[in-house]
Each structure stands twice: as structure tokens, then as C-alpha cells.
Amino acid sequence: MIRVGILGAAGYTGGELIRLLLNHPQAEIVFAHSQSNGGCLVSDVHTDLVGDTSMRFSSEIPFSDVDFVFLCFGHGKSEAFLQEHAVPEDVRIIDLAQDFRLKSPGNDFVYGLPEIHRRQIVSAHHVANPGCFATCLQLALLPLAKAGMLTESVVVNAVTGSTGAGQAPQATTHFSWRTANMSVYKPFRHQHLAEICQSLSEMGVGIKPSEGNDGSPTIDFIPWRGDFARGIFATLVTRTTATMEQIEKIYTDFYAEEPFTHYSPNEISLKQVVNTNKCLIHCEKDGSRLLITAAIDNLLKGAVGQAVQNMNIMAGIDETTGLQLKASAF
């Protein structure tokens, strides 16, 4: 049995992780820590878990009792926490924040995108879980990058649900503001661009998040707030001389052995992936213009579903364990 501790367990990702692990046949939640909710019933905060667990949030952090720790903090808090707390060397860490996603001296965290880093994840002691937008957009672009066909700039529009903003109330997460509404935020400068470009560079693609003087292709990313709770739907446009037959073969071959990422020959929709750990991708061409559509659930494949997938890989068990989740068309 894999013994698990969860830190920052009162937020959206913490609650979704608890939901997954309660139904994981080879994992046991030893503690779910919350600094502000210690002693409270988990189901009083995550009300969807009423009847599923009588667990209470822990005020203590018994590292010696677990094999894995998930860090479900807000961005910037994971690094500070690890500087202040001595986690035993035999405890593996999966961080869901952005603190360790970018390579830097002294950073031993493996970037946890299984589709390209599975071998490194197997033996990793520390894993940095990718961001939600980053997961969706990388999976849409990596097959082209590996094939040497991502040579032109890419224009991206991607819509995310309100859960992407976290559980703490904000002006743009109120129902009265969000319903029947859409808006752009962080155009061209979203924080996930750095990790996207980092992975593409591993494939030999010198794409950049902003214009420079060297004529390099750019990725022009416009994120949108959507009028729904969960999910990401992205459209990406670039140019290529490849035929549709070549493009479809590139994608189907790249993801042929992947349990959760699939190329669809038909148009895709958001509901096909919500409440699952899947990523669906579809391509269409008009002349030299290539349209790529991709969709994921931001809380699952974009966060804790991928984190559990990484835990399974690190623990040496079938990576789909506990993740056989089904979408609904309604």
C-alpha cells in the first residue's frame, strides 16, 4: 500500500486529490494537512465527499508515516515550505505548484509530463507537476515538434473554467460576474509559457514566448476565462506544408502507447474530457494553415489526475490505477 500525505489539502486540488485517492486501490491517505482547518471534517470543506470519508484535516505533518507527499499549495509556497521543513530523504515529493517546473542549478525536480518524461519519472525522487494550460498546449504541440514540423509561429486561444483560479474568492470568480461572461487575462505573458517553451526546446524547437530580434518563431498565447467550472479547451493555429495524412500519422504514432492522450479523427468537445484524466487532440487543415484543438480537465489531467499518474509511475504500478474515470455527454 502506498502511504500518502497531502499538504494544502483544503483547496480545489487538495479536495480533488482526496477524492481520487479514496478510490485508489493501492493508496492510503495517512494525513490531509490544512493549517486553517486542522481538526475539521474534510467533508465539511469538500462537501462532495459527504458520506465518502470521516477523515479530519490534520494539524500535524507526520512525514515518517508516508511514502509520498503531495504539495497542493499556491504558487511560491512550496519552495518556502521545503526550506522551512525537513522532509525525510525516503519520502517522495510531487509538487503541484510552479515552483520547481523550470530547470535551474540545484533543482532536482523532474518535470512530470509522462508523455515525454516517463523514464525520468520512474526513478525520480521529486516531481514538478506541469501546469494545466501547459499540459494542454504541450500535448497539442509536442508531436509536431518532435517531427521537426513546428517551424512557424503559433497563435493560441485557450479557455479555462473558474476552478483554474483556485478556491479563494476573487472578483472574477463570483457567479454574478462569471456567468454568461468571458474575458481575456494575462495575454502573451501567462506564466505557463516558460515551461511550454522549455519542453519544446528539448525537442529542438527554438520557439519563444515573445518577439525578439533574431526572427525566431513565437507562441502568442491568449488565455480566456470561461463560463464553466472545469476544463480547458484550446485552439492552436500554425502553418505547415505537411499533408493531413502526414499530420494524423505523426499524432497517432506519438500517442499510440499513451493511456490518456488520444488523437481523434473527429472534432472534439470539452465534455468529452471533463471529470477524466484524458487529453483529446484533433487537427484540421486549410491550405497551409493547421488548426489543432486540444481539451483536458484542468483539475485532473491538468493537475491532480496527472499527479496521481506520476505517483503510480514512481511507485512502479500501472499508471492508470485509480484513474479509470468516465466522461458524460450530458
Side-chain angles (χ1 to χ4, degrees), residues 236-238 240 242-244 247-248 251 263-268 281-293:
L236 306 90
V237 177
T238 188
T240 180
T243 66
M244 269 308 302
I247 291 165
E248 289 190 336
Y251 277 86
Y263 179 81
S264 171
N266 303 312
E267 292 182 356
I268 62 173
I281 302 167
H282 172 70
C283 294
E284 297 180 23
K285 275 202 79 182
D286 180 68
S288 65
R289 294 179 297 183
L290 174 64
L291 168 66
I292 310 162
T293 52

Side-chain angles (χ1 to χ4, degrees), residues 2-329:
I2 304 166
R3 302 171 302 163
V4 174
I6 303 170
L7 295 164
Y12 280 142
T13 54
E16 198 75 349
L17 183 57
I18 292 169
R19 180 175 72 88
L20 288 184
L21 293 178
L22 285 174
N23 294 286
H24 193 295
Q26 298 188 48
E28 173 193 5
I29 303 174
V30 174
F31 68 85
H33 178 267
S34 171
Q35 189 171 4
S36 57
N37 292 282
C40 298
L41 285 170
V42 166
S43 58
D44 282 347
V45 174
H46 303 301
T47 55
D48 57 312
L49 297 177
V50 170
D52 294 334
T53 180
S54 58
M55 183 190 314
R56 292 182 180 272
F57 288 110
S58 170
S59 299
E60 306 299 322
I61 309 176
F63 286 126
S64 60
D65 296 339
V66 299
D67 306 303
F68 282 83
V69 166
F70 290 86
L71 305 183
C72 298
F73 299 129
H75 300 312
K77 294 183 179 180
S78 296
E79 184 174 15
F81 177 87
L82 293 178
Q83 289 174 349
E84 296 168 2
H85 296 80
V87 180
E89 292 186 1
D90 60 340
V91 175
R92 292 183 169 187
I93 299 171
I94 299 176
D95 180 32
L96 280 83
Q98 67 182 24
D99 299 28
F100 301 103
R101 292 173 187 163
L102 301 181
K103 296 177 182 177
S104 63
N107 178 10
D108 69 343
F109 278 71
V110 170
Y111 188 67
L113 192 67
E115 288 78 2
I116 58 171
H117 290 154
R118 186 173 281 103
R119 290 183 180 177
Q120 297 97 310
I121 294 167
V122 168
S123 57
H125 199 66
H126 300 149
V127 164
N129 216 58
C132 52
F133 272 131
T135 295
C136 189
L137 302 188
Q138 286 176 92
L139 294 177
L141 293 173
L142 285 168
L144 284 180
K146 185 178 181 183
M149 293 185 178
L150 190 59
T151 58
E152 302 287 339
S153 293
V154 183
V155 176
V156 183
N157 281 275
V159 190
T160 186
S162 58
T163 53
Q167 193 164 6
Q170 302 177 41
T172 58
T173 58
H174 288 299
F175 178 81
S176 57
W177 189 93
R178 197 95 180 196
T179 188
N181 197 14
M182 290 186 71
S183 64
V184 168
Y185 72 107
K186 298 181 181 177
F188 306 116
R189 303 292 179 182
H190 195 278
Q191 66 270 16
H192 289 180
L193 278 169
E195 59 189 280
I196 294 169
C197 292
Q198 176 178 263
S199 293
L200 292 175
S201 70
E202 293 179 18
M203 300 289 180
V205 175
I207 203 162
K208 295 183 178 180
S210 60
E211 292 183 350
N213 297 322
D214 59 357
S216 298
T218 60
I219 178 166
D220 300 325
F221 176 30
I222 312 298
W224 293 75
R225 301 179 183 96
D227 178 19
F228 50 90
R230 59 195 298 163
I232 290 175
F233 193 89
T235 61
L236 306 90
V237 177
T238 188
R239 292 185 180 271
T240 180
T241 58
T243 66
M244 269 308 302
E245 290 75 14
Q246 290 173 317
I247 291 165
E248 289 190 336
K249 186 176 190 309
I250 287 167
Y251 277 86
T252 53
D253 287 353
F254 193 93
Y255 292 122
E257 303 300 322
E258 294 300 330
F260 296 116
T261 303
H262 309 284
Y263 179 81
S264 171
N266 303 312
E267 292 182 356
I268 62 173
S269 67
L270 189 63
K271 281 191 175 182
Q272 290 174 274
V273 299
V274 170
N275 292 315
T276 80
N277 199 49
K278 290 192 294 186
C279 175
L280 293 185
I281 302 167
H282 172 70
C283 294
E284 297 180 23
K285 275 202 79 182
D286 180 68
S288 65
R289 294 179 297 183
L290 174 64
L291 168 66
I292 310 162
T293 52
I296 64 169
D297 186 309
N298 61 298
L299 289 177
L300 289 169
K301 185 58 174 169
V304 300
Q306 186 157 234
V308 170
Q309 185 180 356
N310 282 323
M311 180 194 76
N312 291 342
I313 294 169
M314 296 164 77
I317 63 176
D318 187 326
E319 66 188 86
T320 67
T321 305
L323 293 170
Q324 293 88 352
L325 310 169
K326 303 299 181 184
S328 172

